[in-house]
Amino acid sequence: MQILIFNDPLSLANACADRITDLIARKPDAVLGLATGASPVGTYAELIRRYEAGKVSFRSVRTFNLDEYCDLPKADPNSYNSFMWDKLFGHVDIPAENVHIPDGNAPDLAAQCEAYDQMIRDAGGIDLQLLGIGRNGHIGFNEPADAFTKGTHIAALTESTIEANSKYFTENPMPKSAITMGVGSIFAAKSIILIATGKKKAEAIRNTVCGDISPSRCPASILQLHPDVTLLLDPEAAALLKTS
Ligand code: GLP
């Protein structure tokens, strides 16, 4: 696990954008696994800047988002679909058919989960997976549980996650379940970048880096076993890591 600590959010976003644009330069039809939440927003803004400056094109890039709320209309401002088009896709040249976001309103959710995993396999797997992390160590919406999840599935959200994310739901109550790629789907990515900032993430980062590999204590702890993981942190999120 490579751990990089940045004193300012712009340098962190730049470092993350560098990895993504380097990959696209090497492989123009790269498969990106993308995340929502506050953590990747600076990176997406930097990718838009680079696209506008003619330094990168998303024309052949394919993307798979980690997760989406269930029972929330696709066009709702709080859907992850709206988030991604607002923060990235709507500002770059990616064709809509190359964008994949799980459908939390599918009439047959089990079939939607299977179809999503199949689409990832058909695309040749994820080259680079971008992750944030929940305060309880969740990745995607893989909450602490007795076992690591495998493929895309429906997840019941925990109180900790509902408390953290409900600030966005000012008009309607926050959904209590979501469709999410599994820990197994995330782990299958060739390369993984996890972004965490702020002191509320410090404990989850400590458990990710030096805790027991435990699905109930910290789902992200499985990343200790992955051969190519980079953590991009600010000093607050890194505060509980030993420095020597
Ligand atoms: C949500 C998302 C995760 C995200 C996490 C952290 O629950 N499902 O994919 O990583 O929150 O969000 P933030 O970056 O806003 O702290």
Side-chain angles (χ1 to χ4, degrees):
M1 213 180 246
Q2 189 185 20
I3 300 172
L4 302 174
I5 301 170
F6 299 87
N7 286 316
D8 73 286
L10 268 185
S11 332
L12 189 156
N14 263 314
C16 191
D18 282 349
R19 300 226 174 181
I20 295 171
T21 52
D22 287 353
L23 169 65
I24 298 172
R26 281 197 313 277
K27 184 178 178 189
D29 64 345
V31 179
L32 303 179
L34 296 179
T36 51
S39 304
V41 166
T43 298
Y44 295 155
E46 178 56 27
L47 289 175
I48 293 168
R49 269 194 288 278
R50 293 181 191 198
Y51 163 71
E52 287 172 347
K55 292 182 178 154
V56 63
S57 168
F58 295 81
R59 202 178 312 123
S60 306
V61 168
R62 292 154 302 155
T63 65
F64 288 88
N65 261 79
L66 278 169
D67 47 18
E68 177 59 284
Y69 291 111
C70 287
D71 304 320
L72 188 67
K74 206 171 162 181
D76 187 285
N78 281 312
S79 77
Y80 287 166
N81 185 79
S82 300
F83 177 100
M84 288 307 302
W85 282 95
D86 182 40
K87 304 286 186 228
L88 179 64
F89 300 144
H91 309 277
V92 297
D93 61 344
I94 190 162
E97 63 269 24
N98 288 12
V99 166
H100 305 88
I101 300 175
D103 181 0
N105 296 299
D108 183 343
L109 285 168
Q112 165 68 193
C113 292
E114 266 185 45
Y116 201 68
D117 288 334
Q118 189 59 47
M119 281 191 288
I120 295 174
R121 281 193 293 272
D122 291 347
I126 290 172
D127 292 307
L128 174 59
Q129 176 67 57
L130 196 54
L131 294 177
I133 187 168
R135 296 175 201 176
N136 60 6
H138 76 235
I139 45 179
F141 270 130
N142 293 280
E143 301 279 29
D146 291 341
F148 288 113
T149 57
K150 293 190 174 75
T152 301
H153 61 283
I154 303 303
L157 306 183
T158 62
E159 278 311 313
S160 154
T161 301
I162 292 170
E163 191 204 317
N165 291 6
S166 56
K167 61 176 181 282
Y168 301 114
F169 290 83
T170 49
E171 307 214 333
N172 300 310
M174 185 182 147
K176 304 283 186 289
S177 63
I179 179 168
T180 180
M181 275 165 54
V183 172
S185 335
I186 294 168
F187 197 83
K190 291 164 196 124
S191 173
I192 297 175
I193 297 178
L194 186 150
I195 299 175
T197 58
K199 61 175 187 285
K200 286 181 178 160
K201 301 293 174 70
E203 200 180 329
I205 290 301
R206 182 189 53 201
N207 291 338
T208 299
V209 176
C210 25
D212 293 340
I213 297 171
S214 156
S216 57
R217 268 201 89 203
C218 178
S221 59
I222 191 90
L223 300 179
Q224 291 174 32
L225 301 178
H226 192 282
D228 185 357
V229 175
T230 304
L231 266 48
L232 305 180
L233 309 175
D234 71 355
E236 289 188 325
L240 299 178
L241 298 178
K242 295 191 186 81
T243 47
S244 57

